[in-house]
Amino acid sequence: MLCRDIGMNWNKIKVLVVCIFASYLAGIIGSVFTAEGIRSGWYETIKPDIAPPNYAFPVAWNILYLLIGISLYYAWSLAGNKEKIKVAALYGANLFLNAVWSYFFFGIKELLGALIILTLIWASIIAIMLFAWRISKKASLLMVPYFLWVSFAGILNYLAWRIAAGYA
């Protein structure tokens, strides 16, 4: 009764929670590899000078996963039935690649492979933004911080690869 009185729609809230959870799930999976990689000390040997302090990454990623989840919510909620399949595929592929990047970079320390995956992540963000723009401009614009962060991460990944290869 109270929910109806204040205008809450529990179905929308459930969808929002699922979207945010799906987004954070990629981060949870990726963090298994990231935490181990950072604890090993290996990252400090290849960390570029322009890299933010280690404590900044979980803060940034928590904000980004929240924004990605909200973006997914808007895109999903406003998409037609046929568009929902594309929304799920685009966001799902992006989040899968996001988790795989952590495995390549921190798990198996394959920095060039991680850079290639990061390029795919970057392209998938652009694809999401372009597709979502037609459905929900909010969904598209909520992906801008993620796009910018991944662009910066690409620079860090490239520099780390150069340092590890002995070119820097």
Side-chain angles (χ1 to χ4, degrees), residues 143-164:
M143 296 297 282
V144 170
Y146 182 37
F147 174 80
L148 295 173
W149 182 260
V150 168
S151 298
F152 179 61
I155 294 167
L156 295 177
N157 191 155
Y158 172 77
L159 293 173
W161 171 64
R162 299 269 304 169
I163 292 167

Side-chain angles (χ1 to χ4, degrees), residues 57-68:
F57 288 93
V59 173
W61 277 111
N62 272 290
I63 293 166
L64 292 171
Y65 286 127
L66 178 63
L67 294 175
I68 294 164

Side-chain angles (χ1 to χ4, degrees), residues 121-142:
I121 295 169
W122 194 77
S124 72
I125 297 169
I126 292 171
I128 289 169
M129 291 173 70
L130 291 173
F131 185 76
W133 186 260
R134 295 181 291 157
I135 300 168
S136 165
K137 292 182 180 31
K138 282 183 196 176
S140 183
L141 293 173
L142 282 164

